[in-house]
Amino acid sequence: MITSSTGTGPAVGGFRDVPTTTLADLLGRAHVMDIGIRPLWGPVPRVAGPAFTVRCPPGDNLMLHAAIHRAAPGAVIVVESGDLDYALAGGNVCAVAQRRGVAAFVADGLIRDLGEVRDAGFPVFARGIIPIPGAKSAVTPLNERVRCGGVEVEAGDVVVADEEGVVTVPAARAEEILTAARTRLAKEAAQTLDDWETSHRARIDALLSEAGHEDKA
């Protein structure tokens, strides 16, 4: 059972062993954030946790600052913003989030104090950095549906992020997807490169033949 964004269920931890590439194969493009949402330092560890969702209007970061005191340990704070002019958070906000057990920030926006964040080892996936902070005045509800990196995210969805990108797993499908991912990974682990090459060549040749391609090699 997957719990809500107030905690982690037994399946959530299992996603830390699953690459985002495997999840993308299983879930498709609609659950993969766009390439602008990327790790801001590396090598970044893979993180997985239930989404604690935040909406910040452009130029304002109040609710992300509020969220770090409300998100449960293990949560991934996911921020809808789209702001490319002001930072949503800086070094102290990330440090407090890390100290409180937040797994990562995934933000459709910018942060600042990257050196501090990198030195602390706090994972942040966002669009970039800028030195100027936003204001703190706009109050919006927490843990409502947000859109981050082109993907709709509900509070409690499992967010998995690594150097390849960010994928969201609907909470209702978490057990199903985790089981499928483990099956796929086990099959891949048992397959040698020679086996893969033979299978791949046969598949590609079949597709070419179906398309009427005459191999002159």
Side-chain angles (χ1 to χ4, degrees), residues 3 11 34 49 55 62 77-78 90 103 111 121 126 131 151 154 161 163 177 199:
T3 66
D34 70 52
R55 183 177 293 108
L62 174 62
I77 295 181
V78 179
I111 70 161
V151 175
E154 300 276 3
E163 63 185 3
I177 295 299
S199 174

Side-chain angles (χ1 to χ4, degrees), residues 170-183:
R173 298 186 63 196
E175 296 283 1
E176 166 207 340
I177 295 299
L178 182 58
T179 297
R182 285 172 169 165
T183 299

Side-chain angles (χ1 to χ4, degrees), residues 50-183:
F52 187 99
T53 56
V54 181
R55 183 177 293 108
C56 291
D60 199 283
N61 60 31
L62 174 62
M63 296 315 295
L64 173 55
H65 288 236
I68 66 171
H69 302 288
R70 290 160 175 79
V76 174
I77 295 181
V78 179
V79 188
E80 175 183 321
S81 173
D83 186 6
L84 297 180
D85 292 312
Y86 297 92
L88 288 163
N92 285 342
V93 170
C94 292
V96 171
Q98 184 179 42
R99 185 164 66 180
R100 292 181 56 81
V102 171
F105 286 170
V106 173
D108 200 328
L110 313 173
I111 70 161
R112 67 179 193 164
D113 301 327
L114 178 59
E116 296 177 26
V117 176
R118 180 177 56 237
D119 290 346
F122 182 66
V124 176
F125 300 78
R127 293 203 180 272
I129 53 175
I130 197 168
I132 185 168
K136 295 172 181 60
S137 59
V139 177
T140 60
L142 294 170
N143 275 330
E144 293 195 343
R145 180 187 298 173
V146 299
R147 188 171 182 84
C148 183
V151 175
E152 299 286 339
V153 185
E154 300 276 3
D157 286 350
V158 181
V159 180
V160 184
D162 60 21
E163 63 185 3
E164 300 280 352
V166 184
V167 179
T168 63
V169 183
R173 298 186 63 196
E175 296 283 1
E176 166 207 340
I177 295 299
L178 182 58
T179 297
R182 285 172 169 165
T183 299

